[in-house]
Amino acid sequence: MVFQMSMESFDPRCTLGDGIGESLRNMGISRTETRRKVEELLERCGLEKEYADRYPQIVYLSCV
């Protein structure tokens, strides 16, 4: 397991879903499929899929 500070790992101007899905979109995957995969990844990490719409600073503050 790798522990990271969300404030340093993600662009604060983008939601977590945008940050996680950026590389998928760069590979040509559709927005719909990217969103589905992002939600799946979040759930695999123990986070609700609604976290995709949150900004890193909000997630960070709720974990402190």
Side-chain angles (χ1 to χ4, degrees), residues 3-53:
F3 294 95
Q4 296 180 0
M5 300 293 293
S6 62
M7 293 297 292
E8 297 171 7
S9 302
F10 289 95
D11 184 342
R13 298 168 294 176
C14 297
T15 63
L16 291 181
D18 290 339
I20 295 168
E22 182 178 11
S23 60
L24 298 173
R25 293 287 299 135
N26 289 340
M27 292 176 15
I29 298 175
S30 71
R31 289 187 187 280
T32 304
E33 183 65 13
T34 296
R35 178 65 183 211
R36 187 189 67 72
K37 288 182 184 250
V38 165
E39 290 175 355
E40 180 184 315
L41 288 169
L42 287 170
E43 288 178 340
R44 288 178 72 184
C45 293
L47 298 172
E48 297 174 9
K49 63 183 179 182
E50 289 78 18
Y51 273 71
D53 296 321

